[in-house]
Amino acid sequence: MLRKRGSVIFCGAFLFVTWNAILVLLLWGRPQPGQPGEAGPEQGAAVGSPSSDVVGDVLRMADTFEAELERQKEILLEIKNHQSLWEPSNRDNPKVAAPRQPVIPVLVIACNRVTVRRCVDKLLQLRPSADRFPIIVSQDCGHAETAQVIRSYGDKVTHLQQPDLSDIAVRPEHKKFKGYYKISRHYHWALNQVFRTLSHSSVVIVEDDLEVAPDFFEYFQAMLPLLKSEPSLWCVSAWNDNGRDGYVDPGRADLLYRTDFFPGLGWMLLKEAWEELEPKWPASFWDDWMRQPEQRRGRACVRPEVSRTLTFGRQGVSLGQFYDKYLRYIKLNTEFVPFTKLDLSYLKEETYRQNFEKEVYSAPVVTFEAVKQGQLTGPGPFRLQYSSKESFKMMAKNLGIMDDLKSGVPRAGYRGVVSFMSRGRRIYLAPPPGWSRYDPTWS
């Protein structure tokens, strides 16, 4: 509206000046007495006889023109002053001049669990803006009761239904894994809908059995500029694989890490990354495929100290794998952290790597027995060193953190280091100094 009013003012000013310029030219071109086309005596009497002092007439006409031009100048200055009222400057009205906030859709992957309501309810309760964080629920399986739950939200969510519900032919030995094939097909279709059909440039993906933290949206809003500007990052996750209560520092809910392990479970992806992944998207086990070196290509994800998602879905295609031992005890953050107001430049690759390695390898080395039996003295942090796949798995398992590796990368690990808390002290389970690369055979 302001732009339209400003345009009208400028058009009016242009027409005013143009008209007066034409008028001036016409007056200057008016024939003087004695020139061809001059009025006769009778006509001269009708319009007023000109003075015989031609020079005086010209000077008086020039004075008239000067006065008229001065009046036009005053009118134009008045128009300019009115324009400043219609279009406030950035300095005087920063609210009007504030840059437009990006739109970050949240894609909920659903199938046949009516408990999707718990996930969607929390998202709707916590999102700060419906325009900036549209919620898209993509449903597979054709489950009528789940579809009814999703439709009950009306226009608060966008309900997509994956059209291909056909069976998938798999090798006999993979018959029990058919669910993973259908999930991969669904992800492929749903992400294409978000990026290609709906033309979004980023997305946060959650599954229907996740509950989110109070600062879930704040976290991803703050992370988006970093993800876009850092080629060394390819995802942002809300999940800490070792984020069980007692294994994280609750007083450092603001602490974020780079990790070489793709965490999933509430994660952000850019359109550019999807265009890279989509042509080779796997038929099954998409999350483990994401963890392969060919996809990761040396890039990292960002993950929090304290998780911003919590899974409540024990039943699923994984048959509760890890749920009873680890996932059900993940600590969900309850403290709102204003991430958009924090300086996150410490997560840039070179800065982060140097600071992280300095802290890890300047920490005193301790024995596994000392950590296990709680015999550490001092505030920490401490370094616990492993030298082989077997020593890593033994120490991780006995200390209560996840001991599995994917393509040689430990869960939540960065450059081979896994950070966790033990009896209130920070422990870095780390390879020897001089670490250079992961060994894919460590799986």
Side-chain angles (χ1 to χ4, degrees), residues 168-178 181:
I168 298 178
V170 300
R171 303 193 306 270
E173 63 270 24
H174 272 206
K175 187 176 181 180
K176 63 180 180 180
F177 301 128
K178 189 174 288 188
Y181 284 80

Side-chain angles (χ1 to χ4, degrees), residues 102-109 123 132-138 158 160 186-196 198-207 216-217 219-221 223-225 227-228 234-238 262 264-275 277 281 286 290:
V103 174
I104 308 175
V106 178
L107 174 64
V108 181
I109 299 291
L123 289 169
R132 286 165 41 215
F133 298 99
I135 295 173
I136 303 165
V137 184
S138 180
T158 299
L160 305 178
H186 184 195
Y187 264 84
H188 184 267
W189 181 85
L191 287 169
N192 270 337
Q193 295 304 303
V194 170
F195 289 123
R196 296 187 173 175
L198 300 176
S199 300
H200 289 293
S201 59
S202 64
V203 68
V204 175
I205 305 148
V206 300
E207 296 191 359
F216 175 85
F217 292 97
Y219 172 65
F220 282 109
Q221 181 182 339
M223 290 299 106
L224 181 60
L227 183 60
K228 285 183 173 181
W234 73 316
C235 88
V236 175
S237 175
F262 170 72
L265 292 174
W267 55 289
M268 177 185 281
L269 181 73
L270 297 181
K271 183 178 182 179
E272 292 80 2
W274 176 243
E275 290 174 343
L277 298 171
W281 190 253
W286 68 269
M290 291 275 286

Side-chain angles (χ1 to χ4, degrees), residues 314-330:
R314 184 181 185 280
Q315 298 301 321
V317 295
S318 65
L319 302 178
Q321 184 185 26
F322 298 130
Y323 184 83
D324 289 330
K325 189 173 182 181
Y326 295 102
L327 304 184
R328 66 183 297 179
Y329 302 108
I330 293 291

Side-chain angles (χ1 to χ4, degrees), residues 361-404:
Y361 290 101
S362 64
V365 178
V366 293
T367 65
F368 166 73
E369 290 75 16
V371 178
K372 179 69 174 173
Q373 296 171 17
Q375 297 175 344
L376 300 176
T377 58
F382 300 98
R383 175 160 52 102
L384 182 58
Q385 187 166 295
Y386 68 88
S387 57
S388 65
K389 170 186 173 182
E390 291 71 25
S391 64
F392 171 83
K393 292 180 73 69
M394 182 276 294
M395 287 189 280
K397 183 176 182 179
N398 283 280
L399 292 173
I401 63 173
M402 299 189 79
D403 67 333
D404 63 321

Side-chain angles (χ1 to χ4, degrees), residues 357 361 415 431-437:
E357 289 185 343
Y361 290 101
R415 297 184 66 80
W435 180 96
S436 59
R437 64 182 180 86

Side-chain angles (χ1 to χ4, degrees), residues 292-309:
Q292 294 174 357
E294 294 80 7
Q295 280 63 253
R296 191 170 66 82
R297 292 170 49 199
R299 294 171 293 190
C301 295
V302 173
R303 59 97 174 168
E305 168 78 359
V306 185
S307 289
R308 265 60 186 188
T309 53

Side-chain angles (χ1 to χ4, degrees), residues 15-30 61 64-65 68-69 71-72:
L15 291 174
F16 181 85
V17 172
T18 302
W19 169 253
N20 282 278
I22 293 172
L23 181 61
V24 168
L25 291 173
L26 288 174
L27 289 172
W28 274 111
R30 181 179 176 181
M61 187 176 292
T64 302
F65 289 158
E68 181 64 26
L69 289 174
R71 190 169 71 87
Q72 290 181 34

